[in-house]
Amino acid sequence: METNTTHTTSLRVNGADYRLDVLPWVSLLDALREKLNLTGTKKGCDHGQCGACTVLADGKRVLSCLTLAVMKDGSEITTIEGIAQNEQLHPLQKAFIEHDAFQCGYCTPGQICSGIGMLKEGRAHTREEVAELMSGNLCRCGASKGIIDALMEVKEGGGYE
Amino acid sequence: MTKLPSIGQPVSRLEGRQKVTGSAKYAGEYNVSDLLYGYVVNSTITKGKITAIDTSAVKALKGVEAIFTHENRPSTAWFDLQYADMDAPPGTVFKPLHDNKIKFNGQPIALVVAQDFETARYAATLIKFEYEEEAFITGLVTNLDKAHEPKKGLATMLKPPPPPPVGDFEKAYSCAPVKVAAQYTHATEHHNPLEMYASTVVYEGKGKLTIYDKTQGTINSQLFVANVFGLHYKDVRVLSPFVGGGFGSGLRPQYQLFMAVMASLELKHNVRVTLDRSQMFTFGHRPQTVQNLRFAADAEGNVTAMNHSGIGETSSYEDYAEILTSWSHMLYPAKNTLFEYDLVSLDLPTPIDMRAPGGVSGMHAIECMMDELAYELKMDPLELRLKNYSETDPSTGKPYTSKALKQCYLEAAEKFGWDKRNPQPGSMQRGNKLVGYGMATGIWDAYQFPARVQVILTKEGKLILHNATTDIGTGTMTVMTQVAADEIGLPLEDITFDYGDSKKPFSMFQGGSAITSSTGVAIVAVVKELKKKIIKKAKGIKGSPFSDIKDEDIIFKDGAIALRSNPELALSFKDIMTLIKETELKAKKMAGPDVLKLKNYSKATHSASFVEVEVDKELGTITVTRAVTAVAAGRIINPKTARSQVLGSMIWGISKALHEETILDENLGKYMNANLGEYHIPVHADIHDLDVIFADEKDELINELGIKGVGEIGLVAIPAAIANAIYHATGKRINSLPIHFDALL
Ligand code: FES
Ligand code: FES
């Protein structure tokens, strides 16, 4: 191992500034979970195959397991812990509870972050398109119907900014 | 505030806020101080011996704390029995790092412990193993000649062998005017809960541990750890407040628990071991099965003879059994039956129950066979089911505690529009798609285990309940709170159901769709006990208006006791507690099924699924465009969470029929697609119109609450309904699951 020098990385996560000394091989996901104790972002595969680790990086949804922490030096990261505003749940969070869009809840943070990113992209117009563009987020509990129902409600209500 | 009665209301999950804000913590997320990280190394051969281990490259690495292999592991319990968990099948349990023998590919053979996760993971790749390989077998279909009768043991109680033959099957079958026969095969499946197995072990000193474990049974893990490592039960506390899915995989303690505890005790340190996704394919799966069926009927469509012979797989060291071939006679009253079930021992890990184990595989074969029989008889498949409908259980002659399957058939058929079906295969089309309608029946047991609950009434007049069960996403916490709310007459907000902790009163592992009835019935029993205490205390208060009132004339309402004849005359729990000057009132009680009463009955949940598929004429691609499942499972406590359970299982059914399959390379003895990119489960875009109906089923016999459980029944009928719909669309019978487009080309 020759690359064992740490790199100072600045991240703005959920509105707070952090300076982290990380090895270059530390994923953004592990940095969030292990170094910042932001365990709301989940690890379901570590290989970009499940979507559980989705966060918003400068407003865009990214898979934090496929992103090295050092790559995001200077970026603004929003994780599930930063979605609600002072106790006030985001409309999508409320819709998830209302539509029972989860069972075990392990895919939920990724679904919500991905959902917010997807709605912002403005590419999905129909239910089918929403389902298609959310298909990188697996749910093993089979909560698909509730997830897409919740997204459609928020999309149509327009409350996703 | 929620209104009572709460039972029957679609209450949103009480832990919902934690789950949508990321504050729900799962086993591998307790970032305790001075945590060391373990990474497991797995065998790359399938069978043989480890002959040499070279760890020199790792030892030089900064941050590595320890390496454990069979050569240097600390001594643990010697006897199999001490390793046996509550769900251990007959045989010799697998003991991680026990010796140099390799029993299956992916067997855990070493643990590296380091100061950070990345170092542990890197170090794990640097250890070199030398092996002596031996010949192995891993394919079921190619080794059917080695089938043997399953060994019997404790687990046989929950999974009895098929019932003995009735009548004379061979004779009845050979002279029957209408008969069908077919073979069905099923691929291996892995549970793959989205959360990977993890244990965070907090070393408390003096042989004491607090463990955050991913499990479906906190007490099961606790007993395992205490037995294996020779600790006192009370010194081992296992917590699992949130579990990111289980589906059966957590019914047995998994090897990360053993590894993390071993390292923690040895290093006297806090240790976490988390498995990676490929390791999620190394400790148990739904077994491959091969099933041969022969059914016969008379000319009117009465089923007269049924033969169901199934062969499943097990490991070389345990005899894991499923109830695979016993189901048809619980539904159809044939006079001649022959059921068999055998196992082939393979060099793979022991299978482990996976959602509706046996039931979904067996019923797929049975209900496809029934569909073939209907075509042979030129009879509508639904009509054939109704013609052979039995109010009692033909396999035992006993009545069912309740059976609203007929309503399931009729309500689901109506909602689906079954009457618009043209029975001719290939006759229905939509653009360049062939359209098929298929239906099938589902059945699953209605288990109830003993459970113990403690209840506390606080001086604020609120209720706290304690039970060791987990909530693996089933809605257990919400549903249990609802049960307690109605029994005591308090709003949900004033009740806390405290769970997921081995320190709390007994619960079995969460499996078999049994927890709602098991813990629910115990809650009713213990709250009743508490109510007696409250009344007694209230009567004892000086000048109490209740002193001379009979217990049955006192009601519990809105957090108070009141006079039945004049509810205005009430005394709140809070006032009672103040007046009696006590900080809490407690009761504890064990409850279980009424075995004496129930022995005269059969018990089961039922379902009927109707499915529409579209098959692309050129590409053969299959889409489940619509599905309706009606479920009869007694009283539904929470229609919102119960519906999610059924929807989730319907998606599992779609997955089993069309998507998921662990591909085994028999030459390597190894699973080839051990990752979520190549192990396909349905994504959102695969899921279309799904509908759930709960049949109105009143069951006064099954238990006090009249409930049966909904975790598995929604899955059972779907694969057969899909296969039957594909036949209806294409005229092709594909009896091997999963069905992929290439089978139709
Ligand atoms: S953990 Fe990143 S995609 Fe699965
Ligand atoms: S809610 Fe369990 S994986 Fe989606």
Side-chain angles (χ1 to χ4, degrees), chain B residues 20 44 78 93 146 153 191 269 376 407 545 563 593 633:
Chain B
V20 301
T44 54
W78 194 249
V93 284
K146 300 182 184 69
H191 310 68
H269 229 288
E376 206 60 34
Q407 287 95 299
L563 216 55

Side-chain angles (χ1 to χ4, degrees), chain A residues 27-33 38-57 60-68 72 77-81 105-115 136-138, chain B residues 29 194-196 277 676:
Chain A
S27 69
L28 177 61
L29 174 59
D30 288 325
L32 291 169
R33 283 168 64 86
L38 291 169
T39 54
T41 307
K42 304 303 180 198
K43 188 188 280 192
C45 69
D46 224 6
H47 281 74
Q49 295 173 327
C50 76
C53 64
T54 310
V55 297
L56 297 166
K60 291 202 176 64
R61 47 182 179 160
V62 298
L63 297 175
S64 62
C65 73
L66 291 190
T67 308
L68 297 172
K72 288 293 160 194
I77 310 290
T78 307
T79 70
I80 190 69
E81 289 93 341
Y106 201 78
C107 71
T108 312
Q111 305 278 1
I112 290 176
C113 289
S114 181
N137 289 82
L138 301 179
Chain B
E29 300 178 342
L194 203 58
E195 179 200 14
M196 299 183 287
R277 184 53 66 183
L676 289 179

Side-chain angles (χ1 to χ4, degrees), chain A residues 102-105 107 139-141, chain B residues 194:
Chain A
F102 49 83
Q103 294 189 34
C104 78
C107 71
C139 175
R140 184 52 158 166
C141 295
Chain B
L194 203 58

